[in-house]
Amino acid sequence: MDWKEVLRRRLATPNTGLNRKKSEQELKDEEMDLFTKYYSEWKGAGKNTNEFYKIIPRFYYRLPAEDEVLLQKLREESRAVFLQRKSRELLDNEELQNLWFLLDKHQTPPMIGEEAMINYESFLKVGEKAGPKCKQFFTAKVFAKLFHTDSYGRISIMHFFNYVMRKVWLHQTRIGLSLYDVAGQGYLRESDLENYILELIPTLPQLDGLEKSFYSFYVCTAVRKFFFFLDPLRTGQYLNLDKDHNGMLSKEELSRYGTATMTNVFLDRVFQECLTYDGEMDYKTYLDFVLALENRKEPAALQYIFKLLDIENKGYLNVFSLNYFFRAIQELMKIHGQDPVSFQDVKDEIFDMVKPKDPLKISLQDLINSNQGDTVTTILIDLNGFWTYENREALVANDSENSADLDDT
């Protein structure tokens, strides 16, 4: 008996509920038996190996080539039909209104303030009347997820309805995004997401006043932000930094970013590691830079900055790399007439904050786990950031005095 016959018989076996559920070990043993059987047949096939391969179910389908226009059109049409079917499976406005009516009709007293509640028995009754599209929402798991501390064992009708609405909106969004998946591979490329955002702009009331000449900047900013955080803004500043108006930023132009107190050593590393064109940074690279600096508590941002600080590309920061960047901070302190700070003291503070697994090396994961990554990176690359950290106690005391003065008035 071949594997197809085994599968056919299994599927034909009625699910009466009396069949004993197999244990995990039994399933593993059965899987091993099948593997051994087919492997033995394959080894014994000899010159007829190709015949054995024919019984393996097909699992790979080649994408149509560019010149196979008919196949491409067929694939696009089948995807469109599939997405339309998925869209029809979602609750429409009329069905959502009917669901709300049923929930309100079956609410379980007593009322708690203005909050309508429903118990599990009534919850199941609504599920039976709401129709097949709603079946997925009326489960014990969903009820338990939304249950909190009601002494009558009920859940909030409003919370449940909002849960259903969010699920519907989520699936609607996924279907909408899938329409822009030109390659049909289950993901959006940067160009696909750009098209989606561009066509979305006219539907956003918040952007009614946005001039069309700025659409490309808005689209680029939004897309880069998605890709920065999902793939491991103060963008108006970009135009102000670009003094020669060539659409690119030189190191000298970028040095004026923020409080203009980042060290030249750090900026050198930015231009060494990041994609540039003839030594200048384009808008997309600038957005990555801004996102990293303005979200230094996020793992994606720390990964970006860590790569710049890891000058030896060893996967960790040691005393040498810390000293390499802090010397530039010391130089700026001298230029601004500030009292010098010992590197030894700063180094000890950094290791005390991070508490790395290896007492001589700080890995990216150490920085993330410490929840001090934003502070450590700031004091190594930005004079203003280091000054704020160094004078944190005095600043807190000053804020307290100012608050006290305000209270007195």
Side-chain angles (χ1 to χ4, degrees):
M1 185 187 305
D2 64 12
W3 69 273
K4 292 182 180 177
E5 180 63 19
V6 173
L7 181 61
R8 186 188 70 76
R9 291 193 177 185
R10 283 186 185 171
L11 292 175
T13 302
N15 185 13
T16 62
L18 299 176
N19 297 327
R20 182 177 64 84
K21 187 176 181 181
K22 294 182 179 178
S23 68
E24 185 176 348
Q25 186 58 46
E26 287 176 321
L27 291 172
K28 287 182 178 179
D29 292 342
E30 186 176 280
E31 182 181 342
M32 180 57 70
D33 290 342
L34 286 172
F35 173 77
T36 303
K37 174 180 178 294
Y38 291 126
Y39 183 70
S40 299
E41 290 180 8
W42 175 75
K43 287 191 70 176
K47 295 181 179 180
N48 297 320
T49 302
N50 290 335
E51 293 297 318
F52 173 73
Y53 288 149
K54 290 179 181 178
I55 71 171
I56 299 177
R58 185 175 181 180
F59 58 88
Y60 170 73
Y61 294 84
R62 179 181 63 85
L63 291 176
E66 291 184 5
D67 57 345
E68 295 175 319
V69 180
L70 185 59
L71 287 177
Q72 285 189 344
K73 291 294 182 183
L74 177 62
R75 191 167 184 273
E76 290 174 9
E77 186 64 23
S78 63
R79 285 187 67 248
V81 171
F82 170 76
L83 292 173
Q84 287 171 6
R85 190 179 79 243
K86 285 296 182 183
S87 182
R88 288 194 296 268
E89 291 174 1
L90 300 177
L91 295 170
D92 58 29
N93 288 335
E94 184 177 340
E95 290 165 328
L96 285 169
Q97 289 176 4
N98 180 57
L99 174 61
W100 175 256
F101 172 77
L102 288 170
L103 288 167
D104 186 59
K105 185 178 178 180
H106 289 79
Q107 60 178 279
T108 307
M111 291 276 287
I112 299 179
E114 297 181 357
E115 190 81 25
M117 311 291 284
I118 187 169
N119 63 19
Y120 187 61
E121 183 180 357
S122 298
F123 177 79
L124 293 179
K125 288 180 181 178
V126 174
E128 292 173 358
K129 297 178 180 180
K133 286 187 181 180
C134 293
K135 185 178 179 181
Q136 59 178 309
F137 303 116
F138 288 88
T139 65
K141 184 177 181 180
V142 171
F143 190 91
K145 183 186 295 185
L146 298 176
F147 177 76
H148 292 298
T149 57
D150 182 65
S151 57
Y152 296 93
R154 306 167 301 172
I155 63 172
S156 163
I157 287 177
M158 179 60 73
H159 288 173
F160 173 71
F161 188 73
N162 286 337
Y163 170 83
V164 174
M165 290 280 286
R166 286 196 297 269
K167 285 290 185 180
V168 172
W169 290 336
L170 174 63
H171 288 299
Q172 284 177 337
T173 302
R174 292 191 67 173
I175 291 171
L177 286 170
S178 297
L179 293 171
Y180 291 83
D181 176 14
V182 177
Q185 293 297 290
Y187 57 82
L188 296 182
R189 300 167 300 179
E190 193 166 347
S191 58
D192 299 330
L193 193 55
E194 285 175 350
N195 291 332
Y196 173 76
I197 299 293
L198 183 61
E199 295 185 16
L200 192 65
I201 289 177
T203 69
L204 301 175
Q206 302 92 328
L207 300 179
D208 281 343
L210 185 66
E211 296 181 18
K212 287 192 174 182
S213 59
F214 284 94
Y215 276 20
S216 59
F217 282 100
Y218 178 84
V219 169
C220 187
T221 301
V223 171
R224 293 307 287 184
K225 192 164 187 176
F226 276 116
F227 272 83
F228 185 87
F229 285 106
L230 296 180
D231 191 18
L233 289 170
R234 260 165 36 189
T235 56
Q237 192 175 18
Y238 182 82
L239 299 177
N240 295 330
L241 293 175
D242 183 17
K243 294 301 182 183
D244 57 10
H245 305 294
N246 69 342
M248 310 281 278
L249 295 182
S250 65
K251 191 182 83 168
E252 193 276 329
E253 289 171 328
L254 185 63
S255 68
R256 293 193 292 272
Y257 171 80
T259 56
T261 53
M262 284 184 294
T263 68
N264 282 329
V265 169
F266 176 68
L267 291 173
D268 286 341
R269 287 291 295 155
V270 172
F271 278 81
Q272 287 169 7
E273 290 292 328
C274 298
L275 179 63
T276 57
Y277 303 88
D278 294 328
E280 293 199 316
M281 177 184 291
D282 72 350
Y283 186 59
K284 290 184 178 180
T285 305
Y286 168 77
L287 286 179
D288 284 344
F289 174 80
V290 171
L291 285 165
L293 292 187
E294 295 192 352
N295 299 276
R296 294 181 216 188
K297 289 183 179 292
E298 300 293 333
L302 286 175
Q303 183 176 22
Y304 177 99
I305 300 174
F306 185 87
K307 183 179 179 181
L308 301 177
L309 298 178
D310 183 13
I311 54 176
E312 298 179 286
N313 198 28
K314 291 183 174 180
Y316 59 82
L317 306 181
N318 54 21
V319 174
F320 173 79
S321 51
L322 297 181
N323 187 34
Y324 180 83
F325 286 96
F326 190 71
R327 279 186 303 175
I329 295 290
Q330 291 173 317
E331 289 298 321
L332 286 177
M333 294 180 73
K334 291 179 182 177
I335 293 173
H336 289 83
Q338 299 179 15
D339 295 332
V341 175
S342 165
F343 167 71
Q344 189 66 30
D345 294 340
V346 173
K347 182 261 295 181
D348 291 342
E349 284 192 49
I350 289 176
F351 275 89
D352 286 343
M353 282 191 286
V354 178
K355 296 181 175 58
K357 291 183 178 179
D358 187 321
L360 300 177
K361 302 173 183 177
I362 297 175
S363 68
L364 172 60
Q365 197 58 49
D366 289 330
L367 273 184
I368 295 172
N369 293 343
S370 70
N371 292 321
Q372 298 290 333
D374 57 324
T375 302
V376 172
T377 54
T378 296
I379 64 181
L380 290 173
I381 67 176
D382 187 341
L383 175 62
N384 186 60
F386 173 75
W387 185 89
T388 302
Y389 170 77
E390 188 69 6
N391 295 276
R392 59 194 181 282
E393 294 178 358
L395 291 173
V396 170
N398 188 51
D399 287 341
S400 300
E401 290 177 6
N402 290 337
S403 298
D405 292 339
L406 289 173
D407 292 339
D408 291 339
T409 58

